Amino acid sequence: GNSVRNQVGEFVVTQPMPSMPLYFWNDPGNERYIETYFSDYPGIWRQGDYFMMDDDDGCFVLGRSDATLNRYGIRIGTAEIYRSVEALPEVADSLIVNLELPDSQFYMPLFVKLQDGISLTDEIVQKINAKLRADYSPRHVPDHIYQVEEIPYTLTGKKMEVPLRRILLGHSVEKAANKDAMSNPQSLEWYVNFRDTQTAYRYE
C-alpha cells in the first residue's frame, strides 16, 4: 500500500515503537503473534484500526478495521448489523463476518443464536433480511443466515469476529484463536465442522 493523507486507510507501523508487545504468552515460535500483526503486510505492523491524517498532521483513529466489513468497496460496521438484527424478538445474539475469497469474491454469512425454543425458518430469514435492508441498505443483507447454539466470546465479552473469520478461511483453531482467553472455547467446534462440510464457498 501507499501512504495517503485526507483518506481513510489502515493504521500501520513501519518502524519499532515502545508500546509494541514483544511476544504473546504461550506462543512458541511467535506464530500467533506474527499471524495477528504481520500476516497482511509482511514486515509491517498492522494495528487493526482505520486511520486518517490530514494536511495539518492531525491524526484520527476511526475505529477497528477488523470490526468493519469491506464488501465490494462498501464499509459496513458490524455494530450496525448487530443493532438491527438483535432488535428482533426472535434473535438472542449474532455474529457476522465477510470472507474474502479467491477471484475477488466475497461471502458474508450471518450466524444467529435464537431465543430458546425458536428454530430458524424462511420467515425469520426474510424478516432479518428485510430489517437490514430497511435500516441500512441491500449491501447489509448477508449471503446466508445460519442458526448456531453459541456465539464465540472472549473472557472480556468481545465477539470473536477476526478469529472466526480466520477459522472459516482455513486456519487452524490453534493459530486463529487463544482458547484460554475465551469464555466458551467449545463453541468453536461447530464453526470448524461448518467450514469443513459447507459447500457455499471455496477458500482455497
Side-chain angles (χ1 to χ4, degrees):
N2 299 312
S3 178
V4 295
R5 286 182 182 262
N6 302 307
Q7 297 181 41
V8 177
E10 284 280 355
F11 181 7
V12 299
V13 180
T14 59
Q15 300 291 331
M17 64 179 183
S19 61
M20 282 181 172
L22 299 178
Y23 54 85
F24 289 160
W25 190 259
N26 289 333
D27 182 25
N30 290 326
E31 290 186 10
R32 193 157 50 84
Y33 175 77
I34 293 170
E35 175 71 20
T36 299
Y37 291 114
F38 295 98
S39 60
D40 291 304
Y41 310 109
I44 296 177
W45 175 285
R46 175 181 173 271
Q47 176 68 20
D49 289 309
Y50 281 127
F51 188 83
M52 185 178 74
M53 180 179 290
D54 64 19
D55 290 331
D56 298 320
D57 292 334
C59 298
F60 306 86
V61 179
L62 303 173
R64 297 293 295 172
S65 60
D66 53 23
T68 302
L69 311 173
N70 192 338
R71 196 182 195 200
Y72 300 106
I74 304 297
R75 290 193 178 96
I76 301 171
T78 55
E80 298 173 2
I81 303 290
Y82 304 144
R83 185 163 49 246
S84 183
V85 171
E86 293 168 22
L88 294 171
E90 297 89 349
V91 180
D93 204 354
S94 62
L95 189 148
I96 193 165
V97 292
N98 187 43
L99 307 180
E100 298 178 5
L101 306 176
D103 301 322
S104 300
Q105 297 300 307
F106 297 90
Y107 182 67
M108 193 168 80
L110 172 66
F111 302 98
V112 293
K113 177 183 178 182
L114 300 181
Q115 301 290 353
D116 291 344
I118 297 179
S119 297
L120 188 64
T121 62
D122 290 342
E123 181 181 358
I124 294 176
V125 168
Q126 292 170 10
K127 190 174 182 180
I128 291 172
N129 289 340
K131 191 167 195 318
L132 286 168
R133 190 177 291 108
D135 288 350
Y136 297 107
S137 77
R139 293 285 192 186
H140 288 69
V141 176
D143 292 310
H144 285 97
I145 301 175
Y146 300 95
Q147 183 174 1
V148 297
E149 292 187 2
E150 291 187 88
I151 299 296
Y153 275 91
T154 66
L155 290 173
T156 57
K158 180 182 178 182
K159 297 182 185 188
M160 297 183 63
E161 296 163 347
V162 175
L164 183 58
R165 178 169 60 84
R166 289 175 175 165
I167 289 170
L168 295 179
L169 286 173
H171 294 264
S172 68
V173 170
E174 291 72 24
K175 288 187 176 181
N178 179 6
K179 286 188 173 183
D180 292 336
M182 293 184 63
S183 62
N184 55 347
Q186 73 285 347
S187 65
L188 295 179
E189 295 178 11
W190 186 94
Y191 297 93
V192 172
N193 183 65
F194 166 80
R195 177 198 67 193
D196 294 342
T197 58
Q198 59 78 34
T199 58
Y201 69 95
R202 178 178 58 85
Y203 58 85
E204 295 178 334

